[in-house]
Amino acid sequence: MTNSAVVNGKPVDDELFARLDPPALAGSGCADCDVVVFPAAARCPGCAGENVARQALPTRGTVWTWTTQSFAPKPPYEKPASGFEPFVVGYIDLGSVLVESRIVGAVAIGDQVELRLIPVNDTEFTFAFERVAP
Ligand SMILES: [Zn+2]
């Protein structure tokens, strides 16, 4: 795991990232009402307008809440060959938007976290957040 693009393969979805090295998630912001969403959308969910632009989201935030995913999610989730292992998921407060994300390691609500890239399988990667010193 790394905060540079030193992971194998390609993003699980090209639309997720504004850039890869260093990585930043791509959201969209509305010029009319300032609503920011992730993933990026063609229309604003706040005002239904189309005056939205893709933007790189902050790479650090705080844990808003979290839980442990203790059963395998529905497809397209791919169970690892080694079998399902519970993992931590949560919402990360990036200031302008809450992002649902995998979380690497243990966290508490309010912890500072930073964006990371993690492998999905041998050919694809996705994002997660990991606790960092404040
Ligand atoms: Zn709007």
Side-chain angles (χ1 to χ4, degrees):
M1 147 190 31
T2 174
N3 63 354
S4 76
V6 189
V7 288
N8 289 329
K10 63 184 182 61
V12 68
D13 183 336
D14 287 330
E15 295 296 309
L16 291 177
F17 297 96
R19 62 171 192 262
L20 291 174
D21 197 10
L25 296 173
S28 58
C30 178
D32 295 330
C33 73
D34 295 331
V35 166
V36 176
V37 296
F38 173 82
R43 294 189 87 97
C44 172
C47 69
E50 295 180 356
N51 195 7
V52 295
R54 276 172 67 91
Q55 60 182 230
L57 298 178
T59 59
R60 278 192 177 214
T62 58
V63 176
W64 188 74
T65 194
W66 65 272
T67 190
T68 300
Q69 176 78 36
S70 56
F71 56 90
K74 294 187 288 191
Y77 176 80
E78 298 170 35
K79 250 187 240 182
S82 56
F84 174 76
E85 298 268 353
F87 56 84
V88 178
V89 294
Y91 280 96
I92 309 304
D93 185 348
L94 295 180
S96 55
V97 61
L98 289 176
V99 170
E100 185 179 3
S101 177
R102 289 278 299 262
I103 295 173
V104 175
V107 290
I109 290 171
D111 278 353
Q112 287 247 347
V113 288
E114 188 172 61
L115 185 65
R116 299 285 188 252
L117 300 178
I118 60 169
V120 171
N121 52 41
D122 290 342
T123 60
E124 296 173 310
F125 59 84
T126 189
F127 67 93
F129 282 84
E130 183 177 33
R131 188 160 63 91
V132 291

